[in-house]
Amino acid sequence: MNLVVMKFGGTSVEDAAAIGRTAAIVAGRVAQGKSPVVVVSAMAKVTDQLLRAAAAASQSDRTGALAISSHLRARHRDTAAELIRNAQNRAALVSLVDEKFDKLDEILRGLSAILELTPRVSDLIVSFGERVSSRMVTAAFRDRDIDAAHVDARQIIVTDSQFQKAIPQDDMIEQRAPEKLLPLLRAGKTPVMGGFIASNEAGLTTTLGRGGSDFTGALVGGALNAAAIEIWTDVDGIMTSDPRVCPDALRVRVISFEEAAELAYFGAKVLHPATILPAVRKNIPVWVLNSRNPACEGTRIISLAPHCKSPFKSIAVKKKLSIIDVVASRMLMTHGYLSQIFAIFDKHKCPVDMVSTSEVSVSLSVDSNNQLPAIAADLEKLADVKYEGKKALVCMVGEDIRGQNGIAAQVFAAIRHINVRMISQGASEINMSFMIEEDDADEAVRSLHAAFFREPDPTVFDVEARKQLLAPSS
Ligand code: ADP
Ligand code: ASP
Ligand code: MG
């Protein structure tokens, strides 16, 4: 069986036209003799709106919460009505949408009475996005003669109970994915399931964290030993920087798992940071592809990337960070001092991105979050503490910076007009990162891009697309 996991993100299912394109792409794979398992996100922006509805309900704005839900209900109903040609199936799908939203409204009403939004209730509420979208996509496929079967992802993706960022239980997934999916595939069916949503062993709904549908795709691909995992999105692949920031970004044709993981971790939203791991373990190639431009060959992520003449493959930016300076004016740094500092971050379950130390001070960067005052209060017991938000981490990734002399000088020359706050002393040999003001981030990326992708290596980057863009129109 030539099994391929195809994950479609929010923009690939955002309306009837997008779902139609997605169906055509899947039908194309089936026609090639492949056996796809399809994983879909909620329709674009639905997760954000569900979170907003939950917040409103918990702040006793019952009317506001129900208004968001009713807007979402109308969007899903309209899409369903436009999508399904067979009248009977159309009516069945519209009433299924209504059933789901009736249930959601009940939860929102309950929440507006209880006024306490726990992570567990939040996960239950956001799960409706993928629960409805996966049903709609299944119905659309069937309407277009793809023999699709809906599968509830919560029966396959088992996690621990850390709601909102649950950790998958690999052993159970390895057992359940083949058990639930292989019989369908053997019968020639195309399973369709929601990404992002999961359940703990007690059957309570959990989620894998924002952007988690990529992770679901990789988990399912890993558990089924798929021949490939395809991440379908709204750009041509992994680009040399976020094309929204840098319009002349180029498609990277091929990149290593290690580079892609580094980019994802440091803010390239195109992939969820955990996506790569299940694929690496089984050495399954991952492709990033564009559902609006399926003819484009996308980006291939493989274990060993070929040599590249350019030092960097891509530039990522992580925004909304804070720098915390801990200055030990009352005591010089002594043995055990750093571990006391890290114990405080650990206590608050706050991951640290970057650290730099001097004789008396330690600077750390973390995601800006509302625990910072509490963390600072604990740190104050050890030393003087200052923290400042609105920082961004720029991360330049490439296997070919290993052992190259003079790269740092070239990087900092390209952004000499920008004030750099911290430079990574990290152990990774494939990334160079530094911290700047958030307001300078886009400009820094554009300057670095102009400096390092002026003459890109055509074996690794799609320079043809740039030439076409620059060619005078006839
Ligand atoms: P999906 O809904 O398909 O999961 P996302 O919005 O999560 O899509 O991710 C795709 C977006 O990631 C793109 O539209 C692009 O703006 C952004 N992005 C950030 N960095 C990169 C990069 N290096 N290459 C490609 N896209 C990137
Ligand atoms: N719908 C979820 C989100 O918006 C998961 C995903 O799209 O990957 O975060
Ligand atoms: Mg995504």
Side-chain angles (χ1 to χ4, degrees), residues 33-329:
K34 297 194 173 162
S35 302
V37 173
V38 176
V39 174
V40 295
S41 290
M43 295 170 79
K45 305 209 167 73
V46 167
T47 306
D48 289 337
Q49 285 163 7
L50 287 168
L51 285 170
R52 240 182 290 147
S58 70
Q59 287 153 20
S60 123
D61 180 10
R62 184 168 175 266
T63 320
L66 292 174
I68 297 173
S69 167
S70 131
H71 171 81
L72 286 173
R73 182 194 293 252
R75 178 172 166 204
H76 284 83
R77 280 185 68 135
D78 292 350
T79 306
E82 195 184 331
L83 204 52
I84 310 295
R85 290 167 292 201
N86 174 296
Q88 207 178 344
N89 295 345
R90 185 166 57 232
L93 183 62
V94 170
S95 76
L96 191 133
V97 167
D98 275 334
E99 211 178 278
K100 298 275 182 223
F101 279 95
D102 288 347
K103 236 187 226 165
L104 174 65
D105 288 351
E106 217 174 283
I107 298 168
L108 291 173
R109 280 193 203 98
L111 179 57
S112 70
I114 297 167
L115 301 178
E116 193 196 352
L117 180 56
T118 59
R120 173 176 156 180
V121 171
S122 175
D123 273 357
L124 182 62
I125 291 173
V126 286
S127 74
F128 279 86
E130 271 74 8
R131 281 157 70 186
V132 187
S133 70
S134 56
R135 291 287 190 168
M136 301 210 329
V137 169
T138 310
F141 282 9
R142 294 181 69 82
D143 191 64
R144 286 156 181 76
D145 297 329
I146 302 171
D147 191 3
H150 183 262
V151 176
D152 189 335
R154 295 171 296 177
Q155 295 183 357
I156 295 179
I157 309 296
V158 183
T159 65
D160 67 4
S161 298
Q162 282 184 61
F163 295 96
Q164 294 183 314
K165 220 174 173 57
I167 311 288
Q169 308 291 291
D170 293 333
D171 294 352
M172 308 224 24
I173 299 169
E174 292 268 335
Q175 186 198 326
R176 293 214 190 167
E179 202 175 273
K180 303 266 176 213
L181 298 170
L182 288 181
L184 294 170
L185 290 163
R186 286 199 191 104
K189 293 186 184 298
T190 300
V192 177
M193 56 191 274
F196 175 60
I197 59 173
S199 73
N200 66 7
E201 280 188 60
L204 296 171
T205 300
T206 58
T207 64
L208 301 176
R210 293 306 306 272
S213 295
D214 298 341
F215 195 10
T216 306
L219 287 168
V220 173
L224 294 179
N225 274 309
I229 297 165
E230 299 178 350
I231 306 290
W232 290 86
T233 183
D234 62 348
V235 281
D236 277 346
I238 295 184
M239 313 290 284
T240 47
S241 75
D242 187 341
R244 285 181 214 188
V245 174
C246 192
D248 56 354
L250 295 157
R251 175 171 61 91
V252 185
R253 293 179 197 276
V254 59
I255 195 165
S256 69
F257 283 128
E258 208 186 339
E259 290 169 322
E262 204 86 343
L263 279 174
Y265 180 77
F266 286 102
K269 192 186 166 208
V270 66
L271 274 185
H272 180 282
T275 306
I276 303 293
L277 205 63
V280 173
R281 278 199 205 119
K282 304 256 171 97
N283 202 10
I284 302 172
V286 178
W287 293 85
V288 179
L289 296 151
N290 188 353
S291 67
R292 294 167 196 235
N293 184 17
C296 177
E297 65 174 16
T299 298
R300 185 166 193 220
I301 311 174
I302 52 172
S303 42
L304 279 180
H307 173 71
C308 173
K309 285 191 207 117
S310 328
F312 299 112
K313 299 276 175 26
S314 184
I315 309 169
V317 179
K318 199 167 176 184
K319 292 186 178 170
K320 296 197 185 123
L321 298 180
S322 295
I323 293 183
I324 306 177
D325 291 317
V326 184
V327 182
S329 50

